Amino acid sequence: MKKIWFALMGLVLAFSASAAQFTEGKQYVSLPKPVASEPQVMEFFSFFCPHCYQFERIYHVNDAVKKNLPADTKLVKYHVDFLGGDLGPVVTQAWAVAMALGVEDKVTAPIFDGIQKTQTITDPASLKETFVKAAGISAADYDAAWNSFAVKALVAQQQKAAADVDLRGVPAMFVNGKYMVNNGGLNTSSMDNFVADYANVVKFLVSQK
């Protein structure tokens, strides 16, 4: 009986320690104006952002967060316009095409690499070609999606979401329309610890209704 009691107490203490390690102002901050209308977990990024490249292609933060979320919680990724010069809004619209066609996972790595690693994506034409090669869609299907009402609505949705949370930089993740993960307040003693901390903070914030 004592063993069961100590085991239960250990679980309680472990949960308390886990919850206690996340503090407002350190691992996360509360938004001045909560936004209830936005998705439960939102990630803002730019294909032109070096830190976003590291998050996605080296640290795989997005994958870790998704694996750690409750089954009924979805992570939505939005691209921002304010990096990349004239090509920034073009890539935001292309990301809306990816969202509309459901090919985000197929094009994320090729676009990141094409912009930041190989520099083979330099204009709208090379961006479209990346979609054709990576996602297996035709140029005609890409163009049809590009000009569709659904994609125009998704572009507006991304821009509105960024404005709603008063986005100042990327990469950034927001939870429940109330909290933003503070990247600088996480455990940076190792890459693994940082990624685990990030995923656990998001999971903790999802539970804070």
Side-chain angles (χ1 to χ4, degrees):
M1 192 68 181
K2 282 185 177 179
K3 288 183 179 179
I4 295 174
W5 169 253
F6 284 127
L8 289 172
M9 284 301 295
L11 287 173
V12 170
L13 290 171
F15 176 79
S16 298
S18 175
Q21 68 180 331
F22 303 131
T23 308
E24 183 177 358
K26 186 176 182 183
Q27 290 88 4
Y28 69 94
V29 295
S30 295
L31 301 185
K33 297 179 180 179
V35 187
S37 61
E38 296 299 351
Q40 194 169 4
V41 182
M42 291 189 296
E43 178 184 0
F44 291 93
F45 78 108
S46 169
F47 282 111
F48 299 94
C49 162
H51 292 301
C52 297
Y53 181 92
Q54 292 178 331
F55 263 50
E56 182 71 34
R57 303 289 287 127
I58 300 174
Y59 301 158
H60 303 290
V61 171
N62 181 279
D63 290 339
V65 169
K66 285 193 288 189
K67 289 176 183 176
N68 210 34
L69 288 176
D72 60 344
T73 304
K74 183 181 179 183
L75 190 160
V76 178
K77 291 183 68 169
Y78 290 145
H79 194 265
V80 299
D81 287 349
F82 52 73
L83 296 175
D86 292 341
L87 199 56
V90 175
V91 176
T92 293
Q93 187 158 340
W95 184 247
V97 169
M99 294 172 70
L101 298 180
V103 296
E104 299 104 304
D105 291 343
K106 292 182 179 180
V107 301
T108 297
I111 296 176
F112 261 125
D113 288 347
I115 288 176
Q116 295 203 39
K117 191 175 180 181
T118 62
Q119 284 83 51
T120 52
I121 297 176
T122 57
D123 55 22
S126 53
L127 179 60
K128 179 167 73 171
E129 184 63 24
T130 301
F131 270 76
V132 172
K133 289 180 178 178
I137 62 175
S138 68
D141 286 342
Y142 180 90
D143 290 339
W146 181 273
N147 294 308
S148 69
F149 174 79
V151 163
K152 288 180 173 59
L154 283 169
V155 170
Q157 184 175 313
Q158 293 177 90
Q159 294 168 339
K160 179 181 181 299
D164 282 347
V165 298
D166 193 22
L167 184 68
R168 301 297 178 90
V170 288
M173 198 168 289
F174 295 81
V175 181
N176 291 341
K178 297 179 181 179
Y179 312 105
M180 182 184 74
V181 178
N182 179 23
N183 300 343
L186 303 182
N187 186 343
T188 57
S189 60
S190 73
M191 183 177 74
D192 288 343
N193 285 337
F194 176 82
V195 174
D197 219 19
Y198 204 110
N200 286 327
V201 170
V202 174
K203 184 178 182 180
F204 166 73
L205 292 175
V206 167
S207 70
Q208 307 301 298
K209 302 297 184 182

